[in-house]
Amino acid sequence: MKNASAWFAALGGALVLGTMVWSEVIVQQPDKKEGKVIVTYWEKWTNFEADAMRVVVEEFNRSQDKIYVEYLSVSNVSNKTMLSTAGGIPPDVAGLFGGNIAQYASNGAVMPLDELAKEAGIERQQYIPVYWNMCTYRGKLWALPTTPASTALHYNKGILEEAGLDPNKPPTTIEELDEMDAKILKRDASGKIVKMGFLPTEPGWWPWSWPSFFGGSLWNGYDKITMATPENVRAYEWVRSYTKRYGLGTVQAFQQGFGGFDSPQNGFLDNKLASVIQGVWMYNFITKHNPEMKWAAVPFPHPADRPDKANTTVIDLDVLVIPRGAKHPKEAFEFIKFVQSQKGMELLCLGQKKHSPLIKVSDEFIQAHPNPYVMLFAQQALSVNAASPPKTPIWPQWGDEIKTALEKINTDPNLSVKDALLAVEQKMQIQLDRVLESERKLGILPEDGSRPSEDQL
Amino acid sequence: MAKMGQSERRQALAGVLFAMPYLIGFSVFLAIPLLTSLYNSFTEYSVLREPVWIGVRNYADVFKDELFYKSLGNTLFFAAFSIPLSTIMAIALAMLLNTKVRGQAFYRTFFFLPSLVPAVPMAILWLYLFNGDFGIVNAVLKIPYGALGLEPPNWLSSVDHAKNVLITMSVWTVGNAMIIYLAGLQEIPQQLYEASDLDGASPWQKTKNVTIPLLSPVIMFNVLMGIIGSLQYFTQAYVLFPGGAPARSTYMYSMYIYDTAFRDLRMGYASALGWVMFVIILTLTFTAFRFFDKKVHYEG
Amino acid sequence: MAKSDKTLTQQNLRAVVVIHAALVILSLAFLVPLIWMISTSLKEASEARAFPPTWIPKEFLWGNYSEAFNYNKENLGYAPFAVYGRNSLILCLLTVVGTVVSNAVVAYSFARLKWPGRDVAFALTLATMMVPFPVLMVPLFGLFKELGWVGTLRPLWVPAWFGAAFNIFLLRQFYRTIPNELSEAARIDGCSEWGIFSRVILPLAKPALAVVALFSFMGTWNDFLGPLLYLQRQESFTLAVGLQSYSSQAGGTPLHLLMAASTMVVAPVIILFFFTQKQFIQGIAATGLKG
């Protein structure tokens, strides 16, 4: 009996010990593969976008025999990268969003790339300015682009035709856009909306960008947040006009009928919504889920009284960074350099069906590109009205505040838009002041508080 | 006497040795982190840089922070409804399960099942149950609402209703508390009920005069744990309503701390928020304890 | 006992009917979401989103389960579900064993051994139940970073081996119900404290230990925030966080596959409860959780 329980205890102990060892083994990461240094690369993409990057990675892995890049799709990549950098075990390369760079740079979470870029012959002039600009903060280079995006109004010609509109005369002003929506709107017998022309909150990915279309701006680019200018108020009033006109509950029910973005139940792809503001990638989803659709892309409309705001476009950028504490920064940069080459970049951007962030584009790229509107997006990126998110470490939080403010505005027809925006301004101005103060203390900014030159912002 | 002293000493040594794992764990995983967090709350800090002392600025900021009040308000709202409702539900279920009817093993399992569903599948399930367009909740509610000529609400995107979804979920997962109440009920001596039967007491009187008083220590325990737990409420809200959508109406205090610490890397401020939460929990628990202490029926 | 001869009076019969009705209706309310989950897991993608919803799938697509199991396998090179499941099980084993062993030992000290400072230490222990995790989140992350443990499973199971206030409290309550004479007799026989603990107390404590084990299993299986903070590589994810990454990818996993995956996550826990429920409830009754 005593023997039996001793055996039992020993067996149990061995099992536990074995499991402990196992729990260590499964988190082990090999450092080398067939004699090559392994570079871990975390990226946000899934599906065909990931496939395109995998092709580039394989191409790079084949091109030399010292480095092996391991591509991993990571959901919620910016948060995960921040956590792992804070935890001291970051990946060697991470694919972040352009809007994250200032926060990462200011916290010392990523490595400056100036030296390495210089050695590799990577220079500002090679890039479309708006994209290069997004990769810098306080005069230093922290990231390099992967795929860029600008946005335009995508519209469904079929729905326009059905509503008796000329499918080749899409709206060019905001007022015409509203008119188009009014003509297309359809309800069923119970009053439920079944079709709409446009809906600013679908998918509502860039809530911060609406002021740009109306000539407003979120800040002075350095130290003063200006959320509640008349232009900004006008922009958000216009966004709210849709729920005001049709009733909040009705619009919400209409929107909840849509499935995930990448699904045939996407409102636009399901022929329920005649137009959306979307990026260059939308082409892929149209071909995937609704190849029959007749569609076109045009610059997003501008207010009739602001013709100077024609060709306003939202700029989005995916970038590569090397987190601080990465084990193989040199090897990681070799890979980044490969992606920045015209060949690597075009392979990637063609695979993802986007335009290239580089100024130089090969003829083959344009000819082989299946998106009939690719040149429109490339030109939009050069527009003087290209709008990118503010470059400041507080942006993730600030952007979130704007998103919430817009949710509040949208769901409360009586809320003063100005007050909602002022609340964001007051809250974020304090944070901005703090950041500037500590950057002055750290010597990143001139101590006398003067505004640094444009290329030092 | 000397011998007694020796055995006492030996016992004391054994006692400390037996308690050693916890004494170590307490210091390393609790006391030291707690003090570190107190220190951090007076600094500007991200794990990537050394903390910089800034005095009480973080605390001053907390009390001016609109989002602090918002998230605390949401959390208290949730607690104020979820604790009483789940307590009533759990006790009611336990009392039904404590009756002598057939099939109790099945019912017991049925009521407990929802508590076994992990937060993420649960949230996903809830998301589709309450969907305003094709969810089954509204498919059912359409009937009564329709009779009144109304439309059922869009639970997930309505500022007024989103929190109710979380409260419903908490009432649905009372299994653990229910089992604890059931165990408590089984301890109540049968004679007490028989005695009140002889007095001709109605079921309601029996509940009021026998069950609830004798169950009161268990109720107190569960309510105190409920207060502590619901103030830290995180997972379901985080998964079901990312960022506290719509319009932060479901943004919970813990989510705010998590975002502040690990999205914005403002760990000093997050620590201050954490300490304020700790103080609130202490106050509420203590108040509830005082309240119960007068009413709880202790045996022996 | 005078009442037993009138058990089936009309009044009693009515009471039984009412109770049954209440139990059946409530059971339905508690089961409907789960039934819907299983029913959706067997549907076709479009049927899953149909309105009005269908209760019984037009066709039972059992293949959804293998599809959910192997979801995204071609890109990852492994079936994520199997890997997450393995990680969850490893973690559960280590936490459950650690929790049971450490708390059994520590609670014994608090319940049955006299040592200076014991009562103060116990009061402190109870007080720690009020410390919210968000206060500790940041410093613990810093601590595990210094130890180089971030990205491993260690932050999730090592602390379990050092006891936890709630379990100590639970077991202490139980130990105190064991008559003191038993251990005194053994002590007089010259038994060491370890001997008394392992040979006299432990065998009697099985029901209470089972409760601790089950609570700890469920807690670990469902834990979300811990893995969210400490696990970095997808291969080390547990099911709880792994499922989150299923659903939050850009396009989102189709609903029917998510429901199939969810069913697979829930099933083991349900089975475990099914086989242990009796001991579970008796165990809780035995610990006399009464504050």
Side-chain angles (χ1 to χ4, degrees):
Chain A
M1 179 64 206
K2 202 178 162 190
N3 249 339
S5 66
W7 271 108
F8 184 72
L11 213 72
L15 178 70
V16 171
L17 271 177
T19 315
M20 283 180 190
V21 174
W22 198 15
S23 81
E24 294 301 313
V25 173
I26 58 169
V27 295
Q28 281 305 320
Q29 298 178 40
D31 207 43
K32 295 222 158 163
K33 180 170 176 166
E34 292 153 12
K36 295 177 177 180
V37 174
I38 294 184
V39 164
T40 25
Y41 168 29
W42 288 4
E43 190 45 272
K44 55 186 110 38
W45 294 311
T46 53
N47 299 334
F48 72 90
E49 289 173 322
D51 293 341
M53 190 41 132
R54 275 201 195 91
V55 171
V56 178
V57 167
E58 273 161 34
E59 188 75 27
F60 172 75
N61 287 342
R62 261 200 308 271
S63 73
Q64 40 72 47
D65 54 6
K66 296 198 174 61
I67 305 164
Y68 177 84
V69 174
E70 184 189 24
Y71 176 97
L72 295 165
S73 287
V74 172
S75 61
N76 205 351
V77 70
S78 51
N79 202 251
K80 262 305 182 218
T81 306
M82 187 60 102
L83 265 173
S84 65
T85 308
I89 50 150
D92 297 304
V93 183
L96 302 181
F97 303 96
N100 299 132
I101 293 170
Q103 191 203 12
Y104 275 79
S106 167
N107 280 301
V110 286
M111 286 178 46
L113 302 178
D114 303 81
E115 300 273 302
L116 291 164
K118 208 169 150 196
E119 268 172 46
I122 295 174
E123 284 171 45
R124 171 189 288 268
Q125 303 82 271
Q126 298 156 351
Y127 293 82
I128 295 180
V130 67
Y131 297 129
W132 176 273
N133 192 26
M134 279 180 86
C135 294
T136 63
Y137 180 66
R138 301 295 184 231
K140 279 191 177 158
L141 180 70
W142 302 96
L144 283 165
T146 44
T147 60
S150 57
T151 50
L153 184 76
H154 292 67
Y155 69 97
N156 184 328
K157 291 184 169 181
I159 301 185
L160 264 67
E161 245 168 75
E162 264 169 50
L165 296 161
D166 182 350
N168 297 315
K169 263 199 179 159
T172 58
T173 65
I174 296 278
E175 288 75 7
E176 287 171 17
L177 180 66
D178 292 344
E179 267 170 51
M180 177 193 92
D181 172 64
K183 287 204 178 117
I184 288 172
L185 187 98
K186 230 193 240 163
R187 296 175 190 259
D188 68 6
S190 68
K192 242 176 128 173
I193 294 182
V194 289
K195 203 160 269 189
M196 273 183 102
F198 181 75
L199 187 55
T201 46
E202 182 59 35
W205 282 349
W206 307 279
W208 56 269
S209 71
W210 293 116
S212 323
F213 295 94
F214 290 78
S217 84
L218 302 174
W219 68 331
N220 71 353
Y222 174 54
D223 63 352
K224 183 85 191 71
I225 295 180
T226 55
M227 284 303 303
T229 62
E231 292 87 356
N232 296 6
V233 172
R234 183 182 175 199
Y236 291 111
E237 288 279 13
W238 173 73
V239 172
R240 180 167 68 180
S241 70
Y242 277 75
T243 45
K244 255 190 166 169
R245 202 174 316 145
Y246 303 124
L248 176 64
T250 327
V251 172
Q252 281 174 343
F254 177 61
Q255 245 178 318
Q256 276 189 23
F258 302 164
F261 177 75
D262 180 7
S263 78
Q265 287 83 28
N266 172 320
F268 179 67
L269 303 177
D270 206 9
N271 302 323
K272 285 180 176 165
L273 190 60
S275 63
V276 281
I277 177 164
Q278 271 299 346
V280 56
W281 54 76
M282 199 57 189
Y283 159 82
N284 300 295
F285 297 96
I286 298 173
T287 24
K288 182 171 166 191
H289 296 298
N290 192 350
E292 310 283 281
M293 186 197 288
K294 283 191 285 167
W295 63 284
V298 287
F300 196 81
H302 55 85
D305 57 351
R306 293 299 299 258
D308 59 317
K309 288 290 145 187
N311 291 320
T312 300
T313 186
V314 183
I315 293 296
D316 223 342
L317 181 66
D318 298 312
V319 296
L320 295 178
V321 298
I322 304 179
R324 195 174 79 170
K327 268 187 272 164
H328 309 293
K330 274 233 139 66
E331 289 81 359
F333 195 79
E334 283 302 311
F335 169 64
I336 295 180
K337 187 173 128 191
F338 180 81
V339 179
Q340 301 306 307
S341 67
Q342 194 180 347
K343 182 183 155 213
M345 193 60 90
E346 291 187 357
L347 190 58
L348 175 67
C349 294
L350 194 59
Q352 295 201 0
K353 321 284 192 307
K354 293 179 185 163
H355 58 276
S356 165
L358 299 171
I359 294 263
K360 248 203 218 152
V361 180
S362 71
D363 291 341
E364 298 85 66
F365 178 74
I366 297 168
Q367 276 153 19
H369 208 296
N371 186 338
Y373 297 95
V374 66
M375 285 317 283
L376 167 74
F377 290 99
Q379 278 154 11
Q380 286 289 91
L382 290 162
S383 155
V384 283
N385 291 328
S388 52
K391 273 203 291 184
T392 164
I394 61 169
W395 176 243
Q397 202 189 345
W398 183 7
D400 220 38
E401 291 293 329
I402 297 176
K403 181 171 157 258
T404 309
L406 183 56
E407 278 172 9
K408 279 186 197 154
I409 292 170
N410 243 327
T411 48
D412 182 354
N414 301 316
L415 182 72
S416 150
V417 172
K418 189 169 182 186
D419 290 350
L421 294 175
L422 269 179
V424 176
E425 175 174 316
Q426 276 157 10
K427 179 165 185 182
M428 296 321 297
Q429 185 66 52
I430 299 173
Q431 306 264 1
L432 183 61
D433 292 344
R434 297 251 168 87
V435 167
L436 294 175
E437 189 193 312
S438 73
E439 284 186 340
R440 279 185 200 112
K441 266 189 212 145
L442 288 166
I444 299 170
L445 283 175
E447 269 188 61
D448 56 7
S450 59
R451 182 176 169 135
S453 62
E454 241 7 76
D455 63 341
Q456 292 297 313
L457 282 174
Chain B
M1 281 314 273
K3 211 175 175 190
M4 275 294 281
Q6 199 195 0
S7 106
E8 263 170 19
R9 222 176 302 140
R10 200 185 290 159
Q11 205 185 95
L13 182 68
V16 174
L17 280 178
F18 271 67
M20 195 51 83
Y22 183 65
L23 298 179
I24 296 172
F26 175 82
S27 328
V28 177
F29 299 121
L30 212 123
I32 296 174
L34 198 59
L35 294 175
T36 315
S37 140
L38 184 60
Y39 174 79
N40 286 345
S41 73
F42 294 101
T43 65
E44 201 171 76
Y45 170 56
S46 73
V47 257
L48 297 166
R49 293 223 172 90
E50 288 301 303
V52 180
W53 183 268
I54 52 165
V56 294
R57 193 183 84 190
N58 285 331
Y59 288 96
D61 284 356
V62 167
F63 295 106
K64 281 185 285 183
D65 183 349
E66 166 247 354
L67 199 47
F68 158 74
Y69 292 107
K70 178 92 198 168
S71 58
L72 178 63
N74 287 339
T75 310
L76 291 177
F77 181 94
F78 171 78
F81 284 93
S82 123
I83 297 173
L85 288 176
S86 353
T87 306
I88 293 168
M89 178 60 97
I91 296 177
L93 291 179
M95 284 173 64
L96 281 173
L97 290 179
N98 199 36
T99 54
K100 294 196 172 43
V101 296
R102 267 182 215 196
Q104 290 293 29
F106 285 100
Y107 295 127
R108 198 150 54 187
T109 313
F110 293 162
F111 295 149
F112 197 74
L113 277 184
S115 313
L116 299 172
V117 183
V120 174
M122 168 108 78
I124 295 161
L125 183 58
W126 237 240
L127 220 50
Y128 290 101
L129 289 174
F130 282 87
N131 186 297
D133 190 54
F134 58 83
I136 57 166
V137 171
N138 277 1
V140 174
L141 287 181
K142 247 198 159 80
I143 304 158
Y145 272 87
L148 296 169
L150 297 169
E151 277 286 310
N154 289 305
W155 298 96
L156 301 169
S157 48
S158 150
V159 178
D160 301 321
H161 291 102
K163 273 194 284 278
N164 300 346
V165 175
L166 294 174
I167 294 169
T168 325
M169 193 194 277
S170 78
V171 176
W172 192 56
T173 51
V174 290
N176 271 338
M178 175 195 80
I179 296 278
I180 293 173
Y181 285 122
L182 180 59
L185 286 174
Q186 291 179 345
E187 296 269 282
I188 299 178
Q190 208 51 42
Q191 300 95 291
L192 289 178
Y193 290 111
E194 281 160 18
S196 40
D197 272 342
L198 288 179
D199 294 343
S202 69
W204 169 243
Q205 282 169 323
K206 276 191 278 185
T207 308
K208 207 179 106 201
N209 299 328
V210 181
T211 314
I212 299 296
L214 284 170
L215 206 57
S216 56
V218 190
I219 298 179
M220 174 171 95
F221 178 81
N222 268 321
V223 169
L224 291 185
M225 295 314 279
I227 292 175
I228 298 169
S230 44
L231 279 162
Q232 304 177 47
Y233 188 68
F234 176 84
T235 309
Q236 281 86 356
Y238 178 86
V239 181
L240 201 48
F241 298 108
R248 295 240 168 89
S249 60
T250 56
Y251 201 58
M252 296 290 159
Y253 199 170
S254 287
M255 289 162 77
Y256 188 32
I257 298 183
Y258 178 85
D259 282 347
T260 309
F262 296 105
R263 181 196 63 190
D264 308 336
L265 283 192
R266 296 166 63 213
M267 298 196 167
Y269 192 61
S271 303
L273 284 171
W275 268 86
V276 172
M277 177 195 265
F278 187 20
V279 171
I280 293 172
I281 289 184
L282 281 177
T283 319
L284 285 179
T285 320
F286 191 69
T287 316
F289 189 78
R290 287 288 294 272
F291 169 80
F292 274 111
D293 210 28
K294 287 188 207 124
K295 313 208 162 190
V296 164
H297 170 102
Y298 291 105
E299 31 181 338
Chain C
M1 285 284 114
K3 303 219 78 176
S4 58
D5 31 330
K6 347 181 203 166
T7 31
L8 274 181
T9 61
Q10 259 196 322
Q11 205 184 358
N12 270 347
L13 188 66
R14 203 186 303 154
V16 168
V17 170
V18 169
I19 289 170
H20 261 297
L23 283 168
V24 168
I25 291 169
L26 281 165
S27 296
L28 274 178
F30 274 73
L31 284 180
V32 157
L34 294 171
I35 293 171
W36 198 70
M37 173 168 95
I38 294 167
S39 133
T40 307
S41 75
L42 294 167
K43 286 177 190 168
E44 207 204 316
S46 62
E47 198 190 348
R49 313 183 69 91
F51 192 89
T54 49
W55 286 98
I56 297 165
K58 285 183 196 124
E59 201 186 335
F60 286 69
L61 298 174
W62 296 102
N64 286 350
Y65 281 82
S66 71
E67 209 179 315
F69 190 88
N70 292 316
Y71 185 71
N72 206 16
K73 186 179 180 179
E74 64 279 16
N75 283 334
L76 295 169
Y78 55 87
F81 201 89
V83 169
Y84 302 156
R86 175 200 70 191
N87 299 340
S88 277
L89 285 177
I90 289 179
L91 206 55
C92 282
L93 182 95
L94 292 176
T95 339
V96 169
V97 175
T99 305
V100 170
V101 170
S102 64
N103 288 301
V105 172
V106 174
Y108 179 70
S109 168
F110 280 118
R112 310 287 289 222
L113 298 171
K114 285 197 191 70
W115 44 279
R118 183 190 73 170
D119 296 333
V120 178
F122 185 67
L124 260 180
T125 305
L126 287 187
T128 62
M129 279 200 257
M130 282 183 286
V131 180
F133 181 67
V135 184
L136 303 173
M137 201 155 71
V138 170
L140 279 178
F141 191 85
L143 171 74
F144 291 128
K145 182 206 173 170
E146 292 307 315
L147 292 171
W149 287 11
V150 177
T152 71
L153 298 182
R154 274 172 259 167
L156 303 172
W157 65 264
V158 173
W161 287 76
F162 292 91
F166 180 76
N167 295 318
I168 293 173
F169 167 71
L170 202 102
L171 289 172
R172 176 180 172 270
Q173 296 290 94
F174 181 80
Y175 287 158
R176 282 158 66 103
T177 63
I178 300 174
N180 235 329
E181 294 80 49
L182 285 177
S183 30
E184 278 312 317
R187 208 165 276 150
I188 288 163
D189 287 349
C191 215
S192 69
E193 286 303 332
W194 180 257
I196 299 170
F197 168 69
S198 60
R199 263 175 260 150
V200 181
I201 305 289
L202 263 195
L204 292 171
K206 271 183 204 148
L209 291 176
V211 172
V212 169
L214 215 96
F215 272 139
S216 137
F217 176 84
M218 278 162 53
T220 315
W221 186 257
N222 293 342
D223 183 23
F224 182 78
L225 188 48
L228 183 70
L229 282 173
Y230 296 117
L231 300 181
Q232 306 293 339
R233 282 170 70 92
Q234 213 158 335
E235 291 115 291
S236 64
F237 282 3
T238 58
L239 280 172
V241 280
L243 269 186
Q244 161 84 347
S245 69
Y246 262 51
S247 67
S248 64
Q249 278 162 1
T253 316
L255 180 55
H256 58 300
L257 296 186
L258 257 172
M259 289 297 137
S262 301
T263 310
M264 287 191 285
V265 176
V266 176
V269 202
I270 293 180
I271 293 166
L272 185 77
F273 179 76
F274 212 84
F275 287 112
T276 53
Q277 53 158 328
K278 215 167 182 182
Q279 287 87 328
F280 190 45
I281 293 166
Q282 281 170 352
I284 290 180
T287 54
L289 248 190
K290 289 192 190 136

